[in-house]
Amino acid sequence: MIGHRTWAIAEGYIPGGSVSESRELQSHEAACVLNATDWDASVEITLYFEDREPAGPYRFKVGAKRTRHLRFNDLADPEPVPRDTPYSSIIISNVPVVVQHTRLDSRNTHIALLSTVAFPVEG
Amino acid sequence: MIGHRTWAIAEGYIPGGSVSESRELQSHEAACVLNATDWDASVEITLYFEDREPAGPYRFKVGAKRTRHLRFNDLADPEPVPRDTPYSSIIISNVPVVVQHTRLDSRNTHIALLSTVAFPVEG
Amino acid sequence: MIGHRTWAIAEGYIPGGSVSESRELQSHEAACVLNATDWDASVEITLYFEDREPAGPYRFKVGAKRTRHLRFNDLADPEPVPRDTPYSSIIISNVPVVVQHTRLDSRNTHIALLSTVAFPVEG
Amino acid sequence: MIGHRTWAIAEGYIPGGSVSESRELQSHEAACVLNATDWDASVEITLYFEDREPAGPYRFKVGAKRTRHLRFNDLADPEPVPRDTPYSSIIISNVPVVVQHTRLDSRNTHIALLSTVAFPVEG
């Protein structure tokens, strides 16, 4: 069984501006979730902020032997993710998954990218 | 023996466009595989998608005390990797290796880079 | 309890120049610290240099169930962080936290980003 | 004692071109090595290639409670590091250190950055 059930991403920030409105080049953050198991994954994301209570959980599914590149920009229920605001996230799945965090920043004419594997939590 | 036999890369996305057609500056993703052991490594990559069955395995060799910077763009057998499509990958080797993931994105006039060590799986 | 009490960031460098003086686009480095516990975190950062004794500790708080995106640029007590100077940092918290390191480099007209989870230390 | 004695960096590539010849903005790769111990560190780097025998060891020191941002571009003894050539590296220290890998790519008018913590090897 490949992965962990709990992951943390300490860095989070969706730039409010974008040089392009095309979905591909819009400033965004994504959590890429790989579920290599034979069972569908039920995943919950909780968001942490600097000066308010956490938001969530945001719930979504990742099918067995499927990946999902989830954009934080698209989260809407229970509330949208504020732009230009630092946040962190905890991701909990009922089956082991692998999580990687990526941001595409297109504020300033040309894009910049960052990515890192999320932090896997034991247990 | 340096490394692990199984690695996961949750993030995967080959941008369909490139500002340059030169091989060095073309948009691409690579899995850099270091085999520091004294045995040749037989490596298999399986690709996972959002809405279809996995593809692969793609098979390649990394010689003893050699590295290989494998471009996902170049994978052809059993099928090419679709562009502009989210995917994830699992990399399995018969000897311990170290895997790092890198993307060069040259869609938007100037290049952007991301890189992270892949996620090592126990056992 | 999610995280570790000690983290290391080997890479550190605040570019001295910025194409923009807006706070969002100014060249900077940040340590994003997520405290998902029910207790406030007291955090100490020590900076290591190439040719002088370490600086610090710099002390700050991260509330229970809060995140803090701390800019190294803003550190002032006991001394500011020199620009254009390589450094490393050790981050120690009294409760487990998760730390991610990010740099935004806006020296050269357009921004570049890097990020990686800091190195968690056992014990 | 913070860190590990052996680290691997699977990705390695020094772009041959640079838009700027200033040392700060020249295309380069660096291994940032933090030695937070009370003993000087003797470090050896071995480089691995795709189609030739490994090079090295390259030897250098990192003082007690010091960091060193070592540029692969500057390695000269026993031989320089070829440009535009994929490589990997293994870094071995006699005391525990923390290693992070960074590339600055200034081939294409504006800079791009990547960074990731190196892969720590047990034992």
Side-chain angles (χ1 to χ4, degrees), chain A residues 61-122:
Chain A
K61 301 276 186 185
V62 184
K65 297 188 179 305
R66 293 291 185 276
T67 188
R68 186 147 172 200
H69 290 211
L70 183 86
R71 287 199 184 192
F72 287 94
N73 303 44
D74 296 339
L75 296 179
D77 180 13
E79 60 183 295
V81 182
R83 269 49 172 178
D84 294 325
T85 304
Y87 66 94
S88 297
S89 48
I90 299 279
I91 299 166
I92 297 178
S93 168
N94 65 330
V95 300
V97 294
V98 179
V99 179
Q100 190 168 342
H101 166 236
T102 301
R103 183 192 304 157
L104 185 149
D105 184 333
S106 71
R107 283 177 292 186
N108 198 2
T109 318
H110 298 299
I111 63 174
L113 290 171
L114 65 79
S115 186
T116 194
V117 170
F119 179 73
V121 178
E122 319 302 333

Coordinates of all heavy atoms in Angstrom, one line a residue, chain A residues 61-122:
Chain A
K61 N -13.4 12.8 -3.6 CA -13.1 11.4 -3.8 C -11.9 11.3 -4.8 O -11.8 12.1 -5.8 CB -14.3 10.6 -4.4 CG -15.5 10.7 -3.6 CD -15.5 9.6 -2.5 CE -16.8 9.5 -1.8 NZ -16.8 8.5 -0.7
V62 N -11.1 10.2 -4.7 CA -10.1 9.9 -5.7 C -10.3 8.4 -5.9 O -10.1 7.6 -5.0 CB -8.7 10.2 -5.2 CG1 -7.7 9.8 -6.4 CG2 -8.5 11.6 -4.8
G63 N -10.7 8.0 -7.1 CA -11.0 6.6 -7.4 C -9.8 5.7 -7.3 O -8.7 6.1 -7.2
A64 N -10.1 4.4 -7.1 CA -9.0 3.4 -7.1 C -8.2 3.5 -8.3 O -8.7 3.6 -9.4 CB -9.6 2.0 -6.9
K65 N -6.9 3.5 -8.2 CA -5.9 3.5 -9.3 C -6.1 4.8 -10.2 O -6.0 4.7 -11.4 CB -6.0 2.2 -10.1 CG -5.6 1.0 -9.4 CD -5.4 -0.2 -10.2 CE -5.0 -1.4 -9.4 NZ -3.8 -1.2 -8.7
R66 N -6.4 5.9 -9.5 CA -6.6 7.1 -10.2 C -5.8 8.2 -9.5 O -5.4 8.1 -8.3 CB -8.1 7.5 -10.2 CG -9.0 6.6 -11.0 CD -8.7 6.8 -12.5 NE -9.7 6.0 -13.3 CZ -9.5 4.7 -13.5 NH1 -8.5 4.0 -13.0 NH2 -10.4 4.1 -14.3
T67 N -5.6 9.3 -10.2 CA -4.9 10.5 -9.6 C -6.0 11.6 -9.7 O -6.9 11.6 -10.4 CB -3.6 10.9 -10.3 OG1 -3.0 11.9 -9.6 CG2 -3.9 11.4 -11.7
R68 N -5.8 12.7 -8.8 CA -6.6 13.8 -9.0 C -5.8 15.1 -8.6 O -5.1 15.1 -7.6 CB -7.8 13.7 -8.0 CG -8.8 14.9 -8.2 CD -10.2 14.4 -8.0 NE -11.1 15.6 -8.0 CZ -12.3 15.6 -7.5 NH1 -12.7 14.5 -6.9 NH2 -13.1 16.6 -7.5
H69 N -5.7 16.0 -9.6 CA -5.0 17.3 -9.4 C -6.0 18.3 -8.9 O -6.7 18.9 -9.8 CB -4.3 17.7 -10.6 CG -3.1 16.8 -11.0 ND1 -2.0 17.2 -11.6 CD2 -2.9 15.5 -10.7 CE1 -1.1 16.2 -11.8 NE2 -1.6 15.2 -11.3
L70 N -6.2 18.4 -7.6 CA -7.3 19.3 -7.1 C -6.8 20.7 -6.9 O -5.8 21.0 -6.2 CB -7.6 18.7 -5.7 CG -8.8 19.5 -5.0 CD1 -10.1 18.9 -5.5 CD2 -8.6 19.4 -3.5
R71 N -7.5 21.6 -7.5 CA -7.1 23.0 -7.4 C -7.8 23.6 -6.2 O -9.0 23.6 -6.0 CB -7.5 23.8 -8.6 CG -6.7 23.6 -9.8 CD -6.9 24.7 -10.8 NE -6.1 24.4 -12.0 CZ -5.9 25.3 -13.0 NH1 -6.4 26.5 -12.9 NH2 -5.2 25.0 -14.0
F72 N -7.0 24.2 -5.3 CA -7.5 24.9 -4.2 C -8.4 26.1 -4.6 O -9.4 26.4 -4.0 CB -6.4 25.5 -3.3 CG -5.7 24.4 -2.5 CD1 -4.5 23.8 -2.9 CD2 -6.2 24.0 -1.3 CE1 -3.9 22.8 -2.2 CE2 -5.6 23.0 -0.5 CZ -4.4 22.4 -1.0
N73 N -8.1 26.7 -5.8 CA -9.0 27.7 -6.3 C -10.4 27.3 -6.5 O -11.3 28.1 -6.5 CB -8.5 28.1 -7.7 CG -7.1 28.6 -7.8 OD1 -6.2 28.0 -7.2 ND2 -6.8 29.7 -8.4
D74 N -10.6 26.0 -6.8 CA -12.0 25.5 -7.1 C -12.8 25.1 -5.8 O -14.0 24.8 -5.9 CB -11.9 24.2 -8.0 CG -11.2 24.5 -9.3 OD1 -11.3 25.7 -9.7 OD2 -10.8 23.6 -10.0
L75 N -12.1 25.1 -4.6 CA -12.9 24.7 -3.4 C -14.0 25.7 -3.1 O -13.7 26.9 -3.2 CB -11.9 24.6 -2.2 CG -10.8 23.5 -2.3 CD1 -9.9 23.6 -1.1 CD2 -11.4 22.1 -2.5
A76 N -15.2 25.3 -2.9 CA -16.3 26.2 -2.7 C -17.2 25.8 -1.5 O -17.8 26.7 -0.9 CB -17.2 26.2 -3.9
D77 N -17.2 24.6 -1.1 CA -18.0 24.1 0.0 C -17.2 23.6 1.1 O -16.4 22.6 0.9 CB -19.0 23.0 -0.6 CG -19.9 22.5 0.5 OD1 -20.1 23.1 1.5 OD2 -20.5 21.4 0.2
P78 N -17.2 24.1 2.3 CA -18.2 25.1 2.9 C -17.9 26.6 2.6 O -18.8 27.4 2.8 CB -18.1 24.9 4.4 CG -16.7 24.4 4.6 CD -16.4 23.6 3.4
E79 N -16.8 26.9 2.0 CA -16.5 28.3 1.7 C -15.3 28.4 0.7 O -14.5 27.5 0.7 CB -16.2 29.1 2.9 CG -15.0 28.6 3.7 CD -14.7 29.3 5.0 OE1 -14.4 30.5 4.9 OE2 -14.8 28.7 6.1
P80 N -15.2 29.4 -0.1 CA -14.1 29.6 -1.0 C -12.8 29.9 -0.3 O -12.9 30.3 0.9 CB -14.5 30.7 -2.0 CG -15.5 31.5 -1.2 CD -16.2 30.5 -0.3
V81 N -11.7 29.6 -0.9 CA -10.4 29.9 -0.3 C -10.0 31.4 -0.7 O -10.0 31.8 -1.8 CB -9.3 29.0 -0.9 CG1 -7.9 29.3 -0.2 CG2 -9.7 27.5 -0.7
P82 N -9.8 32.2 0.3 CA -9.4 33.6 0.1 C -8.1 33.7 -0.7 O -7.2 33.0 -0.5 CB -9.3 34.2 1.5 CG -9.0 33.1 2.4 CD -9.7 31.9 1.8
R83 N -8.1 34.7 -1.6 CA -6.9 35.0 -2.4 C -5.9 35.9 -1.6 O -6.4 36.6 -0.7 CB -7.3 35.7 -3.7 CG -7.5 34.7 -4.9 CD -8.4 33.6 -4.6 NE -8.8 32.8 -5.8 CZ -9.6 31.8 -5.7 NH1 -10.1 31.3 -4.6 NH2 -9.9 31.1 -6.8
D84 N -4.7 35.9 -2.0 CA -3.7 36.7 -1.4 C -3.6 36.6 0.1 O -3.3 37.6 0.8 CB -3.9 38.2 -1.8 CG -3.7 38.5 -3.3 OD1 -2.8 37.8 -3.9 OD2 -4.5 39.3 -3.9
T85 N -3.9 35.4 0.6 CA -3.9 35.1 2.0 C -3.1 33.9 2.4 O -3.4 32.8 1.8 CB -5.4 34.9 2.4 OG1 -6.2 36.0 2.0 CG2 -5.5 34.7 3.9
P86 N -2.2 33.9 3.3 CA -1.4 32.7 3.6 C -2.3 31.7 4.3 O -3.2 32.1 5.1 CB -0.4 33.3 4.6 CG -0.3 34.7 4.4 CD -1.6 35.2 3.9
Y87 N -2.1 30.4 3.9 CA -2.8 29.4 4.6 C -2.0 28.1 4.6 O -0.9 28.1 3.9 CB -4.2 29.1 4.0 CG -4.2 28.6 2.6 CD1 -4.2 27.2 2.3 CD2 -4.1 29.4 1.5 CE1 -4.2 26.7 1.0 CE2 -4.1 28.9 0.2 CZ -4.1 27.6 0.0 OH -4.1 27.1 -1.3
S88 N -2.4 27.1 5.4 CA -1.8 25.8 5.3 C -2.9 24.8 5.2 O -4.1 25.1 5.4 CB -1.0 25.5 6.6 OG 0.1 26.4 6.8
S89 N -2.6 23.5 4.9 CA -3.6 22.5 4.8 C -3.2 21.2 5.3 O -2.0 20.8 5.3 CB -4.0 22.3 3.3 OG -3.0 22.2 2.5
I90 N -4.2 20.5 5.9 CA -4.0 19.1 6.3 C -4.9 18.3 5.5 O -6.1 18.6 5.3 CB -4.3 18.9 7.8 CG1 -3.5 19.8 8.7 CG2 -4.3 17.5 8.2 CD1 -2.1 19.2 9.0
I91 N -4.4 17.2 4.9 CA -5.2 16.3 4.0 C -5.2 14.9 4.6 O -4.2 14.3 4.9 CB -4.5 16.3 2.7 CG1 -4.5 17.7 2.1 CG2 -5.2 15.3 1.7 CD1 -3.5 17.9 0.9
I92 N -6.4 14.4 4.9 CA -6.6 13.1 5.5 C -7.4 12.2 4.5 O -8.5 12.6 4.0 CB -7.4 13.3 6.8 CG1 -6.5 14.1 7.8 CG2 -7.7 11.9 7.4 CD1 -7.2 14.4 9.1
S93 N -6.9 11.0 4.3 CA -7.6 10.1 3.4 C -7.9 8.8 4.2 O -7.1 8.4 5.1 CB -6.7 9.8 2.2 OG -7.1 8.7 1.5
N94 N -8.9 8.0 3.8 CA -9.2 6.8 4.5 C -8.4 5.6 3.9 O -8.3 4.5 4.5 CB -10.7 6.4 4.4 CG -11.1 6.2 2.9 OD1 -10.6 6.8 2.0 ND2 -12.1 5.4 2.8
V95 N -7.7 5.8 2.8 CA -6.7 4.8 2.3 C -5.4 5.6 2.0 O -5.4 6.8 1.8 CB -7.2 4.1 1.0 CG1 -8.5 3.4 1.3 CG2 -7.4 5.0 -0.1
P96 N -4.3 4.9 2.0 CA -3.0 5.6 1.8 C -3.0 6.2 0.4 O -3.4 5.6 -0.6 CB -2.0 4.5 1.9 CG -2.6 3.4 2.7 CD -4.1 3.4 2.3
V97 N -2.5 7.5 0.3 CA -2.3 8.2 -0.9 C -1.0 8.9 -0.8 O -0.3 8.9 0.2 CB -3.4 9.2 -1.1 CG1 -4.8 8.6 -1.3 CG2 -3.5 10.2 0.0
V98 N -0.5 9.5 -2.0 CA 0.7 10.3 -2.0 C 0.2 11.7 -2.5 O -0.5 11.8 -3.5 CB 1.7 9.7 -3.0 CG1 3.0 10.6 -3.1 CG2 2.1 8.3 -2.6
V99 N 0.7 12.7 -1.8 CA 0.3 14.1 -2.1 C 1.5 15.0 -2.4 O 2.5 14.9 -1.8 CB -0.4 14.7 -0.8 CG1 -0.9 16.1 -1.1 CG2 -1.6 13.9 -0.5
Q100 N 1.3 15.8 -3.5 CA 2.4 16.7 -3.9 C 1.7 18.1 -4.1 O 0.6 18.2 -4.6 CB 3.0 16.3 -5.2 CG 4.3 17.1 -5.6 CD 5.1 16.4 -6.7 OE1 4.9 15.2 -7.0 NE2 5.9 17.1 -7.4
H101 N 2.4 19.1 -3.7 CA 1.8 20.5 -3.7 C 2.5 21.3 -4.8 O 3.7 21.3 -5.0 CB 2.1 21.1 -2.4 CG 1.9 22.6 -2.3 ND1 2.9 23.5 -1.9 CD2 0.8 23.4 -2.6 CE1 2.4 24.7 -2.0 NE2 1.2 24.7 -2.4
T102 N 1.7 22.0 -5.6 CA 2.3 22.8 -6.7 C 1.6 24.2 -6.8 O 0.4 24.2 -6.5 CB 2.1 22.1 -8.1 OG1 2.7 20.8 -8.0 CG2 2.6 22.9 -9.2
R103 N 2.3 25.2 -7.0 CA 1.7 26.5 -7.3 C 2.2 27.0 -8.7 O 3.4 26.9 -9.0 CB 2.1 27.5 -6.3 CG 1.4 28.9 -6.5 CD 2.0 30.0 -5.7 NE 2.0 29.6 -4.3 CZ 2.8 30.1 -3.3 NH1 3.7 31.0 -3.6 NH2 2.6 29.7 -2.1
L104 N 1.3 27.6 -9.5 CA 1.7 28.3 -10.7 C 1.3 29.8 -10.4 O 0.1 30.1 -10.1 CB 0.9 27.7 -11.9 CG 1.3 28.3 -13.2 CD1 1.2 27.3 -14.4 CD2 0.5 29.6 -13.6
D105 N 2.3 30.6 -10.5 CA 2.1 32.0 -10.2 C 2.3 32.8 -11.5 O 3.3 32.8 -12.1 CB 3.1 32.5 -9.2 CG 3.0 33.9 -8.7 OD1 2.4 34.7 -9.5 OD2 3.4 34.3 -7.6
S106 N 1.2 33.4 -12.0 CA 1.2 34.1 -13.3 C 0.9 35.6 -13.1 O 0.3 36.2 -14.0 CB 0.3 33.5 -14.3 OG -1.1 33.7 -14.0
R107 N 1.2 36.1 -11.9 CA 0.9 37.5 -11.6 C 1.7 38.5 -12.5 O 1.2 39.5 -13.0 CB 1.3 37.9 -10.2 CG 0.3 37.4 -9.2 CD 0.8 37.7 -7.8 NE 2.0 37.0 -7.4 CZ 2.5 37.0 -6.2 NH1 2.0 37.7 -5.3 NH2 3.6 36.2 -5.9
N108 N 3.0 38.1 -12.8 CA 3.9 39.1 -13.2 C 4.4 38.8 -14.7 O 5.6 38.6 -14.9 CB 5.1 39.1 -12.3 CG 5.9 40.4 -12.4 OD1 5.6 41.2 -13.2 ND2 7.0 40.4 -11.7
T109 N 3.4 38.7 -15.6 CA 3.7 38.6 -17.0 C 4.1 37.2 -17.4 O 3.6 36.6 -18.4 CB 4.8 39.5 -17.6 OG1 4.5 40.8 -17.0 CG2 4.7 39.7 -19.1
H110 N 5.1 36.6 -16.7 CA 5.6 35.2 -17.0 C 5.4 34.4 -15.8 O 5.4 34.8 -14.7 CB 7.0 35.3 -17.5 CG 7.2 36.1 -18.7 ND1 6.5 35.8 -19.9 CD2 7.8 37.3 -18.9 CE1 6.8 36.7 -20.8 NE2 7.5 37.6 -20.2
I111 N 5.2 33.1 -16.0 CA 4.8 32.2 -15.0 C 6.0 31.8 -14.1 O 7.1 31.7 -14.6 CB 4.1 31.0 -15.5 CG1 5.0 30.1 -16.3 CG2 2.8 31.4 -16.2 CD1 4.3 28.8 -16.7
A112 N 5.7 31.5 -12.9 CA 6.7 30.9 -12.0 C 6.1 29.6 -11.4 O 4.8 29.6 -11.2 CB 7.2 31.8 -10.9
L113 N 6.9 28.6 -11.1 CA 6.3 27.4 -10.6 C 7.1 27.0 -9.3 O 8.3 27.2 -9.2 CB 6.6 26.2 -11.6 CG 5.8 26.2 -12.9 CD1 6.3 25.1 -13.8 CD2 4.3 25.9 -12.6
L114 N 6.3 26.4 -8.4 CA 7.0 25.7 -7.3 C 6.3 24.4 -7.0 O 5.1 24.2 -7.3 CB 7.0 26.6 -6.0 CG 5.8 26.9 -5.3 CD1 5.2 25.8 -4.4 CD2 6.0 28.1 -4.4
S115 N 7.0 23.4 -6.5 CA 6.4 22.1 -6.1 C 7.2 21.4 -5.1 O 8.4 21.6 -5.0 CB 6.3 21.2 -7.4 OG 5.6 20.1 -7.0
T116 N 6.5 20.7 -4.2 CA 7.2 19.9 -3.3 C 6.3 18.8 -2.8 O 5.1 19.0 -2.8 CB 7.8 20.7 -2.1 OG1 8.7 19.8 -1.4 CG2 6.7 21.0 -1.1
V117 N 6.8 17.6 -2.5 CA 6.0 16.6 -1.9 C 5.5 17.1 -0.6 O 6.3 17.8 0.2 CB 6.9 15.3 -1.7 CG1 6.1 14.3 -0.9 CG2 7.2 14.7 -3.1
A118 N 4.3 16.8 -0.3 CA 3.7 17.2 1.0 C 4.4 16.5 2.1 O 5.2 15.5 1.9 CB 2.2 17.0 1.1
F119 N 4.2 16.9 3.4 CA 4.8 16.2 4.5 C 4.0 15.1 5.0 O 2.9 15.3 5.5 CB 5.1 17.2 5.6 CG 5.7 16.6 6.8 CD1 7.0 16.3 6.8 CD2 5.0 16.4 8.0 CE1 7.6 15.7 7.9 CE2 5.6 15.8 9.1 CZ 6.9 15.4 9.0
P120 N 4.5 13.8 4.9 CA 3.7 12.7 5.4 C 3.7 12.5 6.9 O 4.8 12.6 7.5 CB 4.4 11.5 4.7 CG 5.8 11.9 4.5 CD 5.8 13.4 4.4
V121 N 2.6 12.3 7.5 CA 2.5 12.1 8.9 C 2.4 10.6 9.2 O 1.7 9.9 8.6 CB 1.3 12.9 9.4 CG1 1.1 12.7 10.9 CG2 1.4 14.4 9.1
E122 N 3.1 10.2 10.3 CA 3.1 8.8 10.6 C 1.8 8.4 11.2 O 1.0 9.2 11.6 CB 4.2 8.5 11.7 CG 5.5 9.2 11.5 CD 6.1 8.8 10.2 OE1 5.8 7.8 9.7 OE2 6.9 9.7 9.6

